Amino acid sequence: MKVIGINGSYNSNGNCAFLLNTILGDLEQKGCQTEIFSAYEAIVDCKQPFCISCSSPCNKSCYGPKLTKLFEEMKAADAVVFASPVYFGTMSGELKCLFDKTRDIRANNALLGKLGIAVACGASKYGGQEKTVDAIHDCMLVDGMTIVGPSSSGCAGHMGVCAQMNASEDEFAISRAHSAADRLYEELTK
């Protein structure tokens, strides 16, 4: 089983990366193959980083090699974990740009039914994390993905993994990240 993480933060060693590493580390211990990709690197590598609705389906000539590789990895994965910092109450621009560019793979049902988890980290306790998770869920649903929440073993949980920075010190968020990995693994092995 292959699970990829997409870091919607510019910071490759920050809070989102920490939470992705926690979730994917648990999945690796269960035997999954994992890898983390940067939404920022994939988007800035594009000839046209922002979707301008230039054609339908997407004009893939505006894709860069890193975005093309990331889309191939997304199609090949059994599950995708999306992580974003909270920017003005929603996901980062980099992650939104990535979702905007999924029009072509959505048209080919490449993500239809694929499992996914949303992760958000904000600067304060009520800093917009659940709104960010909602926004990520909305994009996942448009792409036809199946959302997996972090509840496991009959325990109800949040809609996604929500943390307050510094995520490495947020014990509740870390416990939800472990629970999300368990829940995703349950779904992967059904």
Side-chain angles (χ1 to χ4, degrees):
M1 290 171 284
K2 182 173 184 177
V3 182
I4 66 168
I6 299 178
N7 187 352
S9 173
Y10 172 79
N11 188 346
S12 62
N13 293 309
N15 296 296
C16 290
F18 171 80
L19 293 168
L20 282 172
N21 282 314
T22 300
I23 294 168
L24 296 182
D26 285 1
L27 291 165
E28 278 183 15
Q29 289 179 357
K30 296 175 185 297
C32 295
Q33 176 189 357
T34 68
E35 190 171 355
I36 296 177
F37 295 89
S38 167
Y40 170 80
E41 289 179 13
I43 291 301
V44 299
D45 187 50
C46 292
K47 294 175 188 173
Q48 174 60 43
F50 308 103
C51 180
I52 56 172
S53 193
C54 58
S55 64
S56 184
C58 282
N59 178 0
K60 291 185 266 184
S61 68
C62 71
Y63 290 8
K66 290 182 181 178
L67 182 64
T68 300
K69 178 182 178 2
L70 178 51
F71 283 164
E72 291 304 315
E73 293 289 340
M74 288 173 73
K75 291 189 282 187
D78 297 297
V80 182
V81 181
F82 297 96
S84 179
V86 177
Y87 289 167
F88 281 82
T90 192
M91 74 180 91
S92 68
E94 296 93 322
L95 189 57
K96 178 63 168 80
C97 286
L98 179 79
F99 276 117
D100 287 347
K101 288 188 172 285
T102 62
R103 288 175 57 218
D104 182 63
I105 60 175
R106 182 182 74 228
N108 292 303
N109 294 320
L111 301 178
L112 187 64
K114 193 167 302 282
L115 301 175
I117 290 179
V119 175
C121 188
S124 61
K125 187 172 183 179
Y126 303 104
Q129 291 89 330
E130 286 192 339
K131 296 295 287 178
T132 299
V133 166
D134 279 346
I136 295 169
H137 282 172
D138 287 346
C139 290
M140 290 167 60
L141 289 170
V142 169
D143 277 332
M145 296 180 74
T146 300
I147 297 168
V148 177
S151 53
S152 185
S153 304
C155 164
H158 287 94
M159 302 175 318
V161 178
C162 295
Q164 177 181 345
M165 61 183 280
N166 291 329
S168 62
E169 298 170 12
D170 186 338
E171 292 180 22
F172 185 74
I174 294 168
S175 74
R176 300 318 300 161
H178 292 304
S179 185
D182 290 342
R183 182 73 185 97
L184 184 56
Y185 189 74
E186 289 171 8
E187 287 299 314
L188 287 167
T189 55
K190 278 187 173 180

PDB file of all heavy atoms in Angstrom, residues 16-48:
ATOM      1  N   CYS A  16       3.251  21.455   9.682  1.00  0.00           N
ATOM      2  CA  CYS A  16       2.574  20.528   8.757  1.00  0.00           C
ATOM      3  C   CYS A  16       3.461  19.327   8.461  1.00  0.00           C
ATOM      4  O   CYS A  16       2.985  18.186   8.451  1.00  0.00           O
ATOM      5  CB  CYS A  16       2.202  21.246   7.459  1.00  0.00           C
ATOM      6  SG  CYS A  16       0.881  22.459   7.682  1.00  0.00           S
ATOM      7  N   ALA A  17       4.735  19.582   8.244  1.00  0.00           N
ATOM      8  CA  ALA A  17       5.673  18.477   7.984  1.00  0.00           C
ATOM      9  C   ALA A  17       5.749  17.544   9.185  1.00  0.00           C
ATOM     10  O   ALA A  17       5.779  16.316   9.028  1.00  0.00           O
ATOM     11  CB  ALA A  17       7.055  19.023   7.642  1.00  0.00           C
ATOM     12  N   PHE A  18       5.752  18.111  10.390  1.00  0.00           N
ATOM     13  CA  PHE A  18       5.792  17.288  11.593  1.00  0.00           C
ATOM     14  C   PHE A  18       4.579  16.359  11.649  1.00  0.00           C
ATOM     15  O   PHE A  18       4.709  15.155  11.917  1.00  0.00           O
ATOM     16  CB  PHE A  18       5.843  18.169  12.848  1.00  0.00           C
ATOM     17  CG  PHE A  18       5.675  17.387  14.121  1.00  0.00           C
ATOM     18  CD1 PHE A  18       6.745  16.685  14.668  1.00  0.00           C
ATOM     19  CD2 PHE A  18       4.437  17.319  14.750  1.00  0.00           C
ATOM     20  CE1 PHE A  18       6.585  15.932  15.828  1.00  0.00           C
ATOM     21  CE2 PHE A  18       4.264  16.577  15.909  1.00  0.00           C
ATOM     22  CZ  PHE A  18       5.346  15.878  16.446  1.00  0.00           C
ATOM     23  N   LEU A  19       3.396  16.903  11.411  1.00  0.00           N
ATOM     24  CA  LEU A  19       2.185  16.083  11.471  1.00  0.00           C
ATOM     25  C   LEU A  19       2.144  15.051  10.349  1.00  0.00           C
ATOM     26  O   LEU A  19       1.738  13.899  10.572  1.00  0.00           O
ATOM     27  CB  LEU A  19       0.949  16.982  11.445  1.00  0.00           C
ATOM     28  CG  LEU A  19       0.785  17.855  12.690  1.00  0.00           C
ATOM     29  CD1 LEU A  19      -0.276  18.920  12.467  1.00  0.00           C
ATOM     30  CD2 LEU A  19       0.452  17.005  13.914  1.00  0.00           C
ATOM     31  N   LEU A  20       2.568  15.433   9.159  1.00  0.00           N
ATOM     32  CA  LEU A  20       2.648  14.455   8.056  1.00  0.00           C
ATOM     33  C   LEU A  20       3.608  13.331   8.408  1.00  0.00           C
ATOM     34  O   LEU A  20       3.308  12.155   8.189  1.00  0.00           O
ATOM     35  CB  LEU A  20       3.095  15.139   6.756  1.00  0.00           C
ATOM     36  CG  LEU A  20       2.049  15.946   6.005  1.00  0.00           C
ATOM     37  CD1 LEU A  20       2.706  16.704   4.850  1.00  0.00           C
ATOM     38  CD2 LEU A  20       0.922  15.055   5.495  1.00  0.00           C
ATOM     39  N   ASN A  21       4.763  13.693   8.940  1.00  0.00           N
ATOM     40  CA  ASN A  21       5.746  12.669   9.335  1.00  0.00           C
ATOM     41  C   ASN A  21       5.213  11.750  10.427  1.00  0.00           C
ATOM     42  O   ASN A  21       5.510  10.557  10.433  1.00  0.00           O
ATOM     43  CB  ASN A  21       7.061  13.319   9.765  1.00  0.00           C
ATOM     44  CG  ASN A  21       7.897  13.754   8.582  1.00  0.00           C
ATOM     45  OD1 ASN A  21       8.058  13.013   7.627  1.00  0.00           O
ATOM     46  ND2 ASN A  21       8.409  14.967   8.638  1.00  0.00           N
ATOM     47  N   THR A  22       4.421  12.299  11.335  1.00  0.00           N
ATOM     48  CA  THR A  22       3.821  11.476  12.393  1.00  0.00           C
ATOM     49  C   THR A  22       2.865  10.453  11.792  1.00  0.00           C
ATOM     50  O   THR A  22       2.943   9.256  12.086  1.00  0.00           O
ATOM     51  CB  THR A  22       3.096  12.369  13.424  1.00  0.00           C
ATOM     52  OG1 THR A  22       4.039  13.279  14.001  1.00  0.00           O
ATOM     53  CG2 THR A  22       2.450  11.532  14.517  1.00  0.00           C
ATOM     54  N   ILE A  23       1.971  10.919  10.944  1.00  0.00           N
ATOM     55  CA  ILE A  23       0.979  10.019  10.325  1.00  0.00           C
ATOM     56  C   ILE A  23       1.667   9.003   9.423  1.00  0.00           C
ATOM     57  O   ILE A  23       1.436   7.787   9.528  1.00  0.00           O
ATOM     58  CB  ILE A  23      -0.074  10.836   9.544  1.00  0.00           C
ATOM     59  CG1 ILE A  23      -0.909  11.687  10.513  1.00  0.00           C
ATOM     60  CG2 ILE A  23      -0.967   9.914   8.712  1.00  0.00           C
ATOM     61  CD1 ILE A  23      -1.771  12.735   9.828  1.00  0.00           C
ATOM     62  N   LEU A  24       2.523   9.475   8.537  1.00  0.00           N
ATOM     63  CA  LEU A  24       3.171   8.565   7.582  1.00  0.00           C
ATOM     64  C   LEU A  24       4.151   7.634   8.274  1.00  0.00           C
ATOM     65  O   LEU A  24       4.325   6.480   7.855  1.00  0.00           O
ATOM     66  CB  LEU A  24       3.844   9.355   6.468  1.00  0.00           C
ATOM     67  CG  LEU A  24       2.892  10.174   5.581  1.00  0.00           C
ATOM     68  CD1 LEU A  24       3.663  10.881   4.477  1.00  0.00           C
ATOM     69  CD2 LEU A  24       1.773   9.340   5.002  1.00  0.00           C
ATOM     70  N   GLY A  25       4.778   8.103   9.356  1.00  0.00           N
ATOM     71  CA  GLY A  25       5.678   7.234  10.125  1.00  0.00           C
ATOM     72  C   GLY A  25       4.930   6.044  10.711  1.00  0.00           C
ATOM     73  O   GLY A  25       5.418   4.910  10.674  1.00  0.00           O
ATOM     74  N   ASP A  26       3.735   6.314  11.260  1.00  0.00           N
ATOM     75  CA  ASP A  26       2.904   5.217  11.784  1.00  0.00           C
ATOM     76  C   ASP A  26       2.538   4.240  10.666  1.00  0.00           C
ATOM     77  O   ASP A  26       2.561   3.022  10.867  1.00  0.00           O
ATOM     78  CB  ASP A  26       1.627   5.762  12.415  1.00  0.00           C
ATOM     79  CG  ASP A  26       1.848   6.415  13.772  1.00  0.00           C
ATOM     80  OD1 ASP A  26       3.000   6.470  14.247  1.00  0.00           O
ATOM     81  OD2 ASP A  26       0.835   6.867  14.361  1.00  0.00           O
ATOM     82  N   LEU A  27       2.197   4.773   9.508  1.00  0.00           N
ATOM     83  CA  LEU A  27       1.804   3.913   8.386  1.00  0.00           C
ATOM     84  C   LEU A  27       2.982   3.094   7.858  1.00  0.00           C
ATOM     85  O   LEU A  27       2.810   1.946   7.465  1.00  0.00           O
ATOM     86  CB  LEU A  27       1.159   4.744   7.278  1.00  0.00           C
ATOM     87  CG  LEU A  27      -0.213   5.316   7.645  1.00  0.00           C
ATOM     88  CD1 LEU A  27      -0.632   6.402   6.673  1.00  0.00           C
ATOM     89  CD2 LEU A  27      -1.255   4.206   7.717  1.00  0.00           C
ATOM     90  N   GLU A  28       4.173   3.690   7.880  1.00  0.00           N
ATOM     91  CA  GLU A  28       5.375   2.930   7.494  1.00  0.00           C
ATOM     92  C   GLU A  28       5.591   1.755   8.431  1.00  0.00           C
ATOM     93  O   GLU A  28       5.936   0.663   7.992  1.00  0.00           O
ATOM     94  CB  GLU A  28       6.608   3.833   7.499  1.00  0.00           C
ATOM     95  CG  GLU A  28       6.774   4.652   6.253  1.00  0.00           C
ATOM     96  CD  GLU A  28       8.050   5.480   6.269  1.00  0.00           C
ATOM     97  OE1 GLU A  28       8.953   5.216   7.100  1.00  0.00           O
ATOM     98  OE2 GLU A  28       8.144   6.402   5.444  1.00  0.00           O
ATOM     99  N   GLN A  29       5.398   1.982   9.733  1.00  0.00           N
ATOM    100  CA  GLN A  29       5.563   0.898  10.702  1.00  0.00           C
ATOM    101  C   GLN A  29       4.555  -0.223  10.464  1.00  0.00           C
ATOM    102  O   GLN A  29       4.812  -1.364  10.832  1.00  0.00           O
ATOM    103  CB  GLN A  29       5.422   1.429  12.125  1.00  0.00           C
ATOM    104  CG  GLN A  29       6.583   2.284  12.558  1.00  0.00           C
ATOM    105  CD  GLN A  29       6.417   2.824  13.973  1.00  0.00           C
ATOM    106  OE1 GLN A  29       5.410   2.614  14.627  1.00  0.00           O
ATOM    107  NE2 GLN A  29       7.435   3.542  14.433  1.00  0.00           N
ATOM    108  N   LYS A  30       3.448   0.085   9.828  1.00  0.00           N
ATOM    109  CA  LYS A  30       2.437  -0.926   9.516  1.00  0.00           C
ATOM    110  C   LYS A  30       2.689  -1.567   8.149  1.00  0.00           C
ATOM    111  O   LYS A  30       1.912  -2.392   7.701  1.00  0.00           O
ATOM    112  CB  LYS A  30       1.043  -0.295   9.554  1.00  0.00           C
ATOM    113  CG  LYS A  30       0.640   0.205  10.931  1.00  0.00           C
ATOM    114  CD  LYS A  30      -0.701   0.927  10.858  1.00  0.00           C
ATOM    115  CE  LYS A  30      -1.114   1.556  12.159  1.00  0.00           C
ATOM    116  NZ  LYS A  30      -1.343   0.658  13.266  1.00  0.00           N
ATOM    117  N   GLY A  31       3.770  -1.143   7.469  1.00  0.00           N
ATOM    118  CA  GLY A  31       4.147  -1.743   6.202  1.00  0.00           C
ATOM    119  C   GLY A  31       3.806  -0.950   4.958  1.00  0.00           C
ATOM    120  O   GLY A  31       4.036  -1.420   3.838  1.00  0.00           O
ATOM    121  N   CYS A  32       3.286   0.244   5.100  1.00  0.00           N
ATOM    122  CA  CYS A  32       2.953   1.073   3.940  1.00  0.00           C
ATOM    123  C   CYS A  32       4.205   1.755   3.383  1.00  0.00           C
ATOM    124  O   CYS A  32       5.123   2.084   4.133  1.00  0.00           O
ATOM    125  CB  CYS A  32       1.931   2.145   4.313  1.00  0.00           C
ATOM    126  SG  CYS A  32       0.319   1.515   4.792  1.00  0.00           S
ATOM    127  N   GLN A  33       4.197   1.981   2.104  1.00  0.00           N
ATOM    128  CA  GLN A  33       5.223   2.785   1.447  1.00  0.00           C
ATOM    129  C   GLN A  33       4.734   4.226   1.484  1.00  0.00           C
ATOM    130  O   GLN A  33       3.582   4.502   1.129  1.00  0.00           O
ATOM    131  CB  GLN A  33       5.406   2.317   0.008  1.00  0.00           C
ATOM    132  CG  GLN A  33       6.368   3.145  -0.792  1.00  0.00           C
ATOM    133  CD  GLN A  33       6.332   2.772  -2.272  1.00  0.00           C
ATOM    134  OE1 GLN A  33       5.636   1.867  -2.705  1.00  0.00           O
ATOM    135  NE2 GLN A  33       7.090   3.516  -3.051  1.00  0.00           N
ATOM    136  N   THR A  34       5.568   5.167   1.936  1.00  0.00           N
ATOM    137  CA  THR A  34       5.138   6.559   2.070  1.00  0.00           C
ATOM    138  C   THR A  34       6.166   7.516   1.474  1.00  0.00           C
ATOM    139  O   THR A  34       7.345   7.191   1.373  1.00  0.00           O
ATOM    140  CB  THR A  34       4.900   6.935   3.549  1.00  0.00           C
ATOM    141  OG1 THR A  34       6.148   6.951   4.239  1.00  0.00           O
ATOM    142  CG2 THR A  34       3.927   5.981   4.232  1.00  0.00           C
ATOM    143  N   GLU A  35       5.662   8.689   1.131  1.00  0.00           N
ATOM    144  CA  GLU A  35       6.530   9.762   0.635  1.00  0.00           C
ATOM    145  C   GLU A  35       5.795  11.080   0.795  1.00  0.00           C
ATOM    146  O   GLU A  35       4.570  11.138   0.654  1.00  0.00           O
ATOM    147  CB  GLU A  35       6.880   9.523  -0.832  1.00  0.00           C
ATOM    148  CG  GLU A  35       7.956  10.439  -1.355  1.00  0.00           C
ATOM    149  CD  GLU A  35       8.453  10.047  -2.759  1.00  0.00           C
ATOM    150  OE1 GLU A  35       8.022   9.009  -3.287  1.00  0.00           O
ATOM    151  OE2 GLU A  35       9.269  10.804  -3.298  1.00  0.00           O
ATOM    152  N   ILE A  36       6.540  12.149   1.079  1.00  0.00           N
ATOM    153  CA  ILE A  36       5.970  13.488   1.223  1.00  0.00           C
ATOM    154  C   ILE A  36       6.398  14.350   0.044  1.00  0.00           C
ATOM    155  O   ILE A  36       7.557  14.332  -0.361  1.00  0.00           O
ATOM    156  CB  ILE A  36       6.398  14.138   2.554  1.00  0.00           C
ATOM    157  CG1 ILE A  36       5.832  13.351   3.735  1.00  0.00           C
ATOM    158  CG2 ILE A  36       5.932  15.601   2.622  1.00  0.00           C
ATOM    159  CD1 ILE A  36       6.256  13.870   5.092  1.00  0.00           C
ATOM    160  N   PHE A  37       5.437  15.114  -0.471  1.00  0.00           N
ATOM    161  CA  PHE A  37       5.686  16.033  -1.581  1.00  0.00           C
ATOM    162  C   PHE A  37       5.304  17.447  -1.160  1.00  0.00           C
ATOM    163  O   PHE A  37       4.447  17.643  -0.316  1.00  0.00           O
ATOM    164  CB  PHE A  37       4.853  15.621  -2.811  1.00  0.00           C
ATOM    165  CG  PHE A  37       5.250  14.301  -3.368  1.00  0.00           C
ATOM    166  CD1 PHE A  37       4.661  13.134  -2.903  1.00  0.00           C
ATOM    167  CD2 PHE A  37       6.239  14.211  -4.336  1.00  0.00           C
ATOM    168  CE1 PHE A  37       5.035  11.898  -3.408  1.00  0.00           C
ATOM    169  CE2 PHE A  37       6.627  12.975  -4.835  1.00  0.00           C
ATOM    170  CZ  PHE A  37       6.018  11.826  -4.370  1.00  0.00           C
ATOM    171  N   SER A  38       5.934  18.421  -1.774  1.00  0.00           N
ATOM    172  CA  SER A  38       5.690  19.828  -1.482  1.00  0.00           C
ATOM    173  C   SER A  38       4.773  20.433  -2.543  1.00  0.00           C
ATOM    174  O   SER A  38       5.114  20.442  -3.731  1.00  0.00           O
ATOM    175  CB  SER A  38       7.018  20.587  -1.462  1.00  0.00           C
ATOM    176  OG  SER A  38       6.792  21.978  -1.488  1.00  0.00           O
ATOM    177  N   ALA A  39       3.620  20.949  -2.094  1.00  0.00           N
ATOM    178  CA  ALA A  39       2.729  21.647  -3.028  1.00  0.00           C
ATOM    179  C   ALA A  39       3.436  22.879  -3.591  1.00  0.00           C
ATOM    180  O   ALA A  39       3.326  23.177  -4.783  1.00  0.00           O
ATOM    181  CB  ALA A  39       1.439  22.044  -2.329  1.00  0.00           C
ATOM    182  N   TYR A  40       4.177  23.571  -2.745  1.00  0.00           N
ATOM    183  CA  TYR A  40       4.893  24.768  -3.181  1.00  0.00           C
ATOM    184  C   TYR A  40       5.852  24.442  -4.331  1.00  0.00           C
ATOM    185  O   TYR A  40       5.832  25.105  -5.372  1.00  0.00           O
ATOM    186  CB  TYR A  40       5.664  25.389  -2.009  1.00  0.00           C
ATOM    187  CG  TYR A  40       6.619  26.476  -2.441  1.00  0.00           C
ATOM    188  CD1 TYR A  40       6.159  27.754  -2.710  1.00  0.00           C
ATOM    189  CD2 TYR A  40       7.981  26.210  -2.598  1.00  0.00           C
ATOM    190  CE1 TYR A  40       7.030  28.753  -3.131  1.00  0.00           C
ATOM    191  CE2 TYR A  40       8.854  27.194  -3.015  1.00  0.00           C
ATOM    192  CZ  TYR A  40       8.376  28.466  -3.278  1.00  0.00           C
ATOM    193  OH  TYR A  40       9.234  29.441  -3.711  1.00  0.00           O
ATOM    194  N   GLU A  41       6.677  23.411  -4.156  1.00  0.00           N
ATOM    195  CA  GLU A  41       7.644  23.057  -5.201  1.00  0.00           C
ATOM    196  C   GLU A  41       6.954  22.656  -6.497  1.00  0.00           C
ATOM    197  O   GLU A  41       7.425  22.992  -7.583  1.00  0.00           O
ATOM    198  CB  GLU A  41       8.564  21.944  -4.711  1.00  0.00           C
ATOM    199  CG  GLU A  41       9.548  22.398  -3.654  1.00  0.00           C
ATOM    200  CD  GLU A  41      10.439  21.276  -3.148  1.00  0.00           C
ATOM    201  OE1 GLU A  41      10.475  20.193  -3.763  1.00  0.00           O
ATOM    202  OE2 GLU A  41      11.108  21.485  -2.117  1.00  0.00           O
ATOM    203  N   ALA A  42       5.841  21.945  -6.388  1.00  0.00           N
ATOM    204  CA  ALA A  42       5.121  21.527  -7.599  1.00  0.00           C
ATOM    205  C   ALA A  42       4.504  22.712  -8.324  1.00  0.00           C
ATOM    206  O   ALA A  42       4.517  22.763  -9.556  1.00  0.00           O
ATOM    207  CB  ALA A  42       4.035  20.510  -7.238  1.00  0.00           C
ATOM    208  N   ILE A  43       3.995  23.672  -7.562  1.00  0.00           N
ATOM    209  CA  ILE A  43       3.317  24.817  -8.173  1.00  0.00           C
ATOM    210  C   ILE A  43       4.311  25.826  -8.751  1.00  0.00           C
ATOM    211  O   ILE A  43       4.129  26.311  -9.867  1.00  0.00           O
ATOM    212  CB  ILE A  43       2.372  25.494  -7.152  1.00  0.00           C
ATOM    213  CG1 ILE A  43       1.195  24.568  -6.836  1.00  0.00           C
ATOM    214  CG2 ILE A  43       1.878  26.846  -7.633  1.00  0.00           C
ATOM    215  CD1 ILE A  43       0.349  24.166  -8.028  1.00  0.00           C
ATOM    216  N   VAL A  44       5.384  26.150  -8.030  1.00  0.00           N
ATOM    217  CA  VAL A  44       6.317  27.155  -8.551  1.00  0.00           C
ATOM    218  C   VAL A  44       7.091  26.635  -9.759  1.00  0.00           C
ATOM    219  O   VAL A  44       7.654  27.431 -10.509  1.00  0.00           O
ATOM    220  CB  VAL A  44       7.302  27.698  -7.486  1.00  0.00           C
ATOM    221  CG1 VAL A  44       6.545  28.377  -6.372  1.00  0.00           C
ATOM    222  CG2 VAL A  44       8.225  26.639  -6.958  1.00  0.00           C
ATOM    223  N   ASP A  45       7.087  25.340  -9.967  1.00  0.00           N
ATOM    224  CA  ASP A  45       7.751  24.742 -11.122  1.00  0.00           C
ATOM    225  C   ASP A  45       6.910  24.864 -12.400  1.00  0.00           C
ATOM    226  O   ASP A  45       7.400  24.607 -13.493  1.00  0.00           O
ATOM    227  CB  ASP A  45       8.029  23.259 -10.814  1.00  0.00           C
ATOM    228  CG  ASP A  45       8.855  22.571 -11.862  1.00  0.00           C
ATOM    229  OD1 ASP A  45       9.923  23.112 -12.235  1.00  0.00           O
ATOM    230  OD2 ASP A  45       8.446  21.485 -12.322  1.00  0.00           O
ATOM    231  N   CYS A  46       5.666  25.283 -12.272  1.00  0.00           N
ATOM    232  CA  CYS A  46       4.763  25.376 -13.422  1.00  0.00           C
ATOM    233  C   CYS A  46       5.021  26.636 -14.239  1.00  0.00           C
ATOM    234  O   CYS A  46       5.380  27.683 -13.692  1.00  0.00           O
ATOM    235  CB  CYS A  46       3.309  25.394 -12.954  1.00  0.00           C
ATOM    236  SG  CYS A  46       2.751  23.868 -12.227  1.00  0.00           S
ATOM    237  N   LYS A  47       4.796  26.532 -15.533  1.00  0.00           N
ATOM    238  CA  LYS A  47       4.899  27.715 -16.404  1.00  0.00           C
ATOM    239  C   LYS A  47       3.851  28.755 -16.012  1.00  0.00           C
ATOM    240  O   LYS A  47       4.096  29.947 -16.073  1.00  0.00           O
ATOM    241  CB  LYS A  47       4.710  27.305 -17.862  1.00  0.00           C
ATOM    242  CG  LYS A  47       5.807  26.412 -18.380  1.00  0.00           C
ATOM    243  CD  LYS A  47       5.517  25.937 -19.789  1.00  0.00           C
ATOM    244  CE  LYS A  47       6.546  24.896 -20.194  1.00  0.00           C
ATOM    245  NZ  LYS A  47       6.224  24.279 -21.465  1.00  0.00           N
ATOM    246  N   GLN A  48       2.653  28.293 -15.655  1.00  0.00           N
ATOM    247  CA  GLN A  48       1.579  29.152 -15.169  1.00  0.00           C
ATOM    248  C   GLN A  48       1.130  28.580 -13.832  1.00  0.00           C
ATOM    249  O   GLN A  48       0.388  27.615 -13.794  1.00  0.00           O
ATOM    250  CB  GLN A  48       0.415  29.167 -16.173  1.00  0.00           C
ATOM    251  CG  GLN A  48      -0.821  29.905 -15.704  1.00  0.00           C
ATOM    252  CD  GLN A  48      -0.559  31.367 -15.395  1.00  0.00           C
ATOM    253  OE1 GLN A  48       0.122  32.063 -16.118  1.00  0.00           O
ATOM    254  NE2 GLN A  48      -1.082  31.837 -14.288  1.00  0.00           N
TER     255      GLN A  48
END
